[in-house]
Amino acid sequence: MLEKLTVGLSALALALVMIVGVADIVLGELFGYHLAFKVDMSGTMTAAAIFLTWPLVQRNNEHIAVDLFQAWRPRGFKKVERILVAVTGAIFFGLLFYGAASLARDSIAIMERSAATLGYPIWPAKLACAFGALLALLVTIRQSFTALFGKAPTAAGKSDA
């Protein structure tokens, strides 16, 4: 349910970027008028879309991977590698969540708006970034637990196989 929500919001943000882009091109070609807010809105919405899909990408292990050295690594290194990757990911997403949450908190406190002529609120996008980072952090913590102990915790606090 939560995954469908975050992916849906991500898709909505990207659709908005595309609609604004098309509108800017059409208005520019036909009337010589360009939307002043297109760059701000595109950046804000794209960041929110990326952060909202990170948990899904992390869970499915669909990041870009460079396996250049896989053939040369020692046989017993796979478990160590899984642990290092999971723990490093948890640290990375923890720091990312901390920074994104701080930015979102400050943005909400002042009800931050875009500096562009439209002046649309940008605090919701910053909140979406923090939420996506939190979910990705939770995924990596679960992956770290699984890498370390071979079992993932369930909602009841027990471990599943």
Side-chain angles (χ1 to χ4, degrees):
M1 168 79 172
L2 194 55
E3 185 175 289
K4 286 182 181 181
L5 175 67
T6 58
V7 171
L9 289 173
S10 177
L12 188 62
L14 291 177
L16 186 59
V17 168
M18 290 186 287
I19 290 167
V20 167
V22 167
D24 181 63
I25 292 168
V26 169
L27 289 171
E29 291 297 319
L30 294 179
F31 305 108
Y33 175 79
H34 292 280
L35 301 174
F37 61 90
K38 70 180 176 285
V39 174
D40 284 349
M41 183 174 281
S42 295
T44 305
M45 294 295 108
T46 301
I50 289 168
F51 274 76
L52 287 170
T53 54
W54 253 338
L56 176 63
V57 171
Q58 180 65 34
R59 187 194 62 160
N60 293 338
N61 195 25
E62 293 177 339
H63 294 287
I64 297 170
V66 179
D67 56 3
L68 183 64
F69 301 109
Q70 264 186 336
W72 293 303
R73 72 176 181 212
R75 277 206 145 130
F77 189 69
K78 185 140 179 102
K79 182 170 175 76
V80 173
E81 179 183 357
R82 258 193 7 250
I83 292 168
L84 285 173
V85 167
V87 171
T88 303
I91 292 168
F92 170 78
F93 280 117
L95 292 170
L96 195 62
F97 168 65
Y98 177 78
S102 295
L103 287 174
R105 183 189 63 238
D106 294 345
S107 184
I108 291 168
I110 62 170
M111 299 308 265
E112 188 175 9
R113 301 182 78 73
S114 166
T117 56
L118 188 61
Y120 65 93
I122 60 174
W123 64 265
K126 289 186 178 184
L127 185 60
C129 289
F131 184 65
L134 173 63
L135 292 178
L137 172 61
L138 294 174
V139 168
T140 56
I141 288 171
R142 182 180 177 99
Q143 289 171 337
S144 297
F145 191 91
T146 302
L148 286 167
F149 304 109
K151 296 178 183 176
T154 61
K158 299 178 183 173
S159 293
D160 60 8

